[in-house]
Amino acid sequence: MNDNAAPLQVALIGYGFVGKAFHAPLINSVPGLELSVVSSRDADKVHADLPQVQVIADPLEAIRHPQVDLVVIASPNATHAPLAKAALAAGKDVVVDKPFTLDLAEARELIALAEKHGRLLSVFQNRRWDSDYLGVKQVIEQGLIGQVSHFESHIDRYRPQVRVRWREQNLPGSGLWFDLGPHMVDQALQLFGLPLSVQANIATLRANAEVNDWAHVILNYPSHKVILHGSMLVAGGVSRFTVHGDQGSVVKARADGQESQLLAGVIPGSAGWGKDDDALSLFVGTEPVRTLPTPDGDQRQYYIRLRDALRGDGANPVTALQALAVMAVLEAAETAARTGATETLPLTAAEIAAW
């Protein structure tokens, strides 16, 4: 990176949980990026954390701000596509929080628009740099458990009470599967590529819940199975990852702690950032269980690599095509849960070949 280059000016659209807890601190931790505009109807809330930024209530006005280079969309899911479309049309590079869009049609429209205007379009998949995922990825890539036969990923919460927030209301793009599913799907696709087919059971289990709060999805590959599971009614006793191979198994009990650190106000990159003292448990054949240190997580890497890509010094860390594949799995799972059938991915031959 050219250290003397002017920092890229960033507009953050939305200052709810995701914008405040994730995007703002991560952007502010990366040299070469300057968060200068936030779109929010609550200027006092923003200025309490970020006194130097310009707060603009109208997201379209913030998007079109003449000094802004990069627009980061962290607003409710149903607004992702229209706001990204407006940003691309305004000649801005764009980051969209997950899920990319509500459906494949919107995703394809955004990809075409980004190509038309020659702009970078990326989707925020910060959990590619979680310690738990990096640990099991390392074990798999080093061949320590041989050929994978069973890969199980859990993102579970204990939230028995339905909260009053858009993610838990009957709105387009709400529900657990569109909230946590994109993380689990993206990690699986990064490890194993596109599955042959998808099976799913998606349910609403909590009293008074308006949208799904439980999902169990199976990705079928030629020689192994991937299980993705999320629930709002798990108080404990479940590992984040369980992976079995023909030579052994690996278990990662606890989840990455960066979200907790961000919520506690820890500055990304400061002492202790991304450290994970929960070791991986490695079982090889009949040998006694071994422990392996878990690598550090660092979700800053998404924005570091994005900055480099915008400077021409690297690749887009999460391409729109990768995000399209995630949307295809999300959509196939919803269809499979509704019909009870095994679904193939609703991608074109050209999209599959490009992957």
Side-chain angles (χ1 to χ4, degrees), residues 37-245:
V37 175
V38 173
S39 178
S40 170
R41 292 191 295 270
D42 190 345
D44 290 342
K45 175 185 175 182
V46 178
H47 281 146
D49 300 329
L50 307 166
Q52 76 284 3
V53 306
Q54 181 180 356
V55 180
I56 300 174
D58 182 357
L60 294 179
E61 182 182 344
I63 283 169
R64 295 170 184 145
H65 193 289
Q67 271 79 56
V68 165
D69 303 299
L70 172 67
V71 173
V72 176
I73 297 169
S75 49
N77 295 348
T79 68
H80 287 185
L83 291 177
K85 185 176 180 179
L88 292 168
K92 312 294 186 181
D93 297 305
V94 179
V95 168
V96 184
D97 197 81
K98 60 79 200 163
F100 186 16
T101 57
L102 295 183
D103 56 42
L104 281 171
E106 288 183 337
R108 289 178 175 126
E109 182 181 11
L110 291 183
I111 290 171
L113 196 59
E115 292 174 351
K116 174 183 175 182
H117 291 284
R119 307 316 304 179
L120 179 143
L121 176 60
S122 187
V123 174
F124 184 62
Q125 285 289 2
N126 54 319
R127 294 193 182 276
R128 291 188 188 181
W129 294 277
D130 275 3
S131 60
D132 47 30
Y133 170 69
L134 292 173
V136 297
K137 179 173 183 279
Q138 187 177 84
V139 167
I140 292 168
E141 290 179 344
Q142 291 177 351
L144 298 182
I145 61 171
Q147 182 68 37
V148 171
S149 59
H150 175 111
F151 179 93
E152 189 162 346
S153 171
H154 279 250
I155 301 183
D156 295 317
R157 306 276 193 266
Y158 184 63
R159 294 175 182 167
Q161 303 302 319
V162 177
R163 294 188 286 178
V164 180
R165 57 177 192 155
W166 69 262
R167 295 177 190 277
E168 299 189 53
Q169 295 171 339
N170 189 16
L171 299 169
S174 295
L176 177 145
W177 179 235
F178 259 55
D179 184 24
L180 302 181
H183 291 310
M184 295 186 286
V185 172
D186 181 72
Q187 290 175 338
L189 298 191
Q190 287 301 296
L191 286 173
F192 304 116
L194 299 177
L196 298 176
S197 61
V198 178
Q199 297 166 278
N201 193 329
I202 300 173
T204 303
L205 299 182
R206 292 177 299 171
N208 303 316
E210 298 181 15
V211 291
N212 65 78
D213 54 16
W214 184 92
H216 189 87
V217 176
I218 301 173
L219 309 185
N220 296 309
Y221 289 85
S223 59
H224 73 280
K225 301 288 185 179
V226 168
I227 296 171
L228 310 177
H229 186 93
S231 173
M232 290 292 195
L233 287 173
V234 176
V238 180
S239 296
R240 173 67 181 92
F241 287 105
T242 302
V243 190
H244 304 297

Side-chain angles (χ1 to χ4, degrees), residues 10-29:
V10 182
L12 175 60
I13 310 303
Y15 201 68
F17 173 72
V18 171
K20 174 183 169 70
F22 289 92
H23 290 281
L26 291 172
I27 291 167
N28 281 331
S29 73

Side-chain angles (χ1 to χ4, degrees), residues 9 21 28 31-32 35 39 52 66 92 112 143 173 196 236 238 247 257 274 280 290-292 315 329 336 341:
Q9 300 298 305
N28 281 331
L35 180 56
S39 178
Q52 76 284 3
K92 312 294 186 181
L196 298 176
V238 180
Q247 295 178 26
L280 298 154
R290 293 161 47 197
T291 57
L292 301 175
V329 175

